[in-house]
Amino acid sequence: MATDTKDAKDVKDVKDETPADTRDALEVLESEAKEWDKDAEIDRILKAFRLDAYTVLGLKPGVTESDIKIAYRKKSLLIHPDKTKNPLAPEAFDRLKKAQTELMDEKHRKNLDEAIADARMLLIRENKWTVDSPELKTAEFEKKWQEKTKFVLIENEQRRRRQLKAQMQEEGREQRKADEEAEQRKRKRQHEEDWEKTRDQRIDSWRAFQKGKSGDSDKKKKKKLKPIG
């Protein structure tokens, strides 16, 4: 511990003894190196497969929630739009945040883990391997596993979208049916209201008709009477 303290002091002493121009140059180089790290991380995030939140965060499946939080905090501080001039930082930051949110969601994370496991089993079956095959421990298998995971996740996403589309269409049909039934009820109520509003008018018309009919009948009876003698 004393040695570390002494080494740190020696470095500080060296910096203190370094000419101002040289210190400025070193600070510029350090700043450029940090910007390069930020740009590299932004580029990595934007190139990562978006449906795999683990890949976006640079993590392996099976990590703990604590690992997820630590990785997100470290990377979000590195590429935060307020701390870099890179114009792509906002998009990368949003993707990073989305990946963290997905992994912290128990259901989403479970579905992702299942998709990754399915990809592994598909790869083993296609190549007629077993879970104990030495090929599974190679870098080549890891690469193929990543590609197969992309395939499975894309299929799952396409299936989800088809189901969502079908659901929306069904909901649309149900909504149209409900709207038509509501319109029919509205027309029926309007008809009943109009009928009720003209009730007195219909009664008066009927009475007038009956009165006129009665008058015509009396006239006909008078015409039929024959004079006496």
Side-chain angles (χ1 to χ4, degrees):
M1 190 71 179
T3 301
D4 293 341
T5 304
K6 183 177 181 301
D7 291 341
K9 184 176 182 302
D10 291 342
V11 171
K12 183 176 183 302
D13 291 340
V14 170
K15 286 186 176 181
D16 290 341
E17 294 174 1
T18 304
D21 291 344
T22 304
R23 286 202 301 272
D24 291 343
L26 288 173
E27 288 175 359
V28 170
L29 290 174
E30 288 178 1
S31 177
E32 290 178 349
K34 289 179 181 179
E35 282 300 318
W36 187 90
D37 290 341
K38 294 176 182 179
D39 291 343
E41 182 60 16
I42 289 170
D43 185 61
R44 185 199 67 76
I45 292 171
L46 295 178
K47 287 181 179 179
F49 186 52
R50 298 177 65 172
L51 295 178
D52 186 350
Y54 288 116
T55 301
V56 176
L57 278 168
L59 297 171
K60 294 287 185 181
V63 295
T64 65
E65 287 190 3
S66 177
D67 293 331
I68 296 170
K69 291 178 180 178
I70 291 172
Y72 171 72
R73 177 172 175 76
K74 180 180 178 181
K75 295 179 184 299
S76 63
L77 288 173
L78 177 65
I79 68 163
H80 196 283
D82 292 342
K83 296 185 177 182
T84 176
K85 297 178 181 179
N86 192 316
L88 298 176
E91 182 181 355
F93 186 82
D94 289 343
R95 291 195 190 184
L96 194 71
K97 177 62 178 176
K98 184 173 184 291
Q100 188 256 2
T101 301
E102 290 175 348
L103 289 183
M104 295 304 292
D105 181 270
E106 186 176 348
K107 182 178 179 181
H108 186 97
R109 187 177 179 186
K110 180 183 177 183
N111 291 337
L112 178 56
D113 288 342
E114 288 177 352
I116 294 172
D118 289 345
R120 185 173 184 271
M121 290 307 300
L122 281 172
L123 198 57
I124 291 173
R125 290 173 186 171
E126 288 174 0
N127 290 275
K128 298 180 179 180
W129 292 328
T130 68
V131 293
D132 298 321
S133 296
E135 289 85 355
L136 273 62
K137 299 178 181 180
T138 64
E140 182 65 21
F141 176 78
E142 289 290 331
K143 184 178 179 181
K144 289 182 178 179
W145 187 6
Q146 289 180 357
E147 292 302 316
K148 183 62 71 173
T149 297
K150 290 181 182 180
F151 171 79
V152 172
L153 288 173
I154 289 172
E155 277 203 332
N156 289 351
E157 178 63 15
Q158 290 175 339
R159 186 183 304 109
R160 185 190 70 80
R161 292 185 180 185
R162 287 195 298 269
Q163 291 173 345
L164 181 61
K165 183 178 179 180
Q167 180 182 345
M168 291 177 67
Q169 289 175 340
E170 181 62 27
E171 289 176 352
R173 284 193 290 269
E174 291 295 329
Q175 185 61 49
R176 286 193 296 273
K177 183 179 178 182
D179 292 342
E180 289 172 0
E181 291 175 351
E183 184 61 28
Q184 289 176 359
R185 290 193 297 270
K186 181 180 178 181
R187 287 198 296 267
K188 184 178 180 181
R189 286 195 303 271
Q190 188 64 46
H191 175 73
E192 292 173 349
E193 290 174 1
D194 292 343
W195 179 263
E196 186 62 27
K197 287 178 181 178
T198 59
R199 181 175 178 274
D200 293 339
Q201 182 181 348
R202 292 196 312 276
I203 292 174
D204 291 342
S205 297
W206 175 253
R207 287 174 177 170
F209 172 75
Q210 288 295 97
K211 185 177 180 181
K213 186 176 179 183
S214 176
D216 291 341
S217 179
D218 292 341
K219 289 179 181 179
K220 288 179 181 180
K221 287 179 180 179
K222 289 180 180 179
K223 287 180 180 180
K224 289 180 180 181
L225 292 176
K226 296 179 179 181
I228 299 174

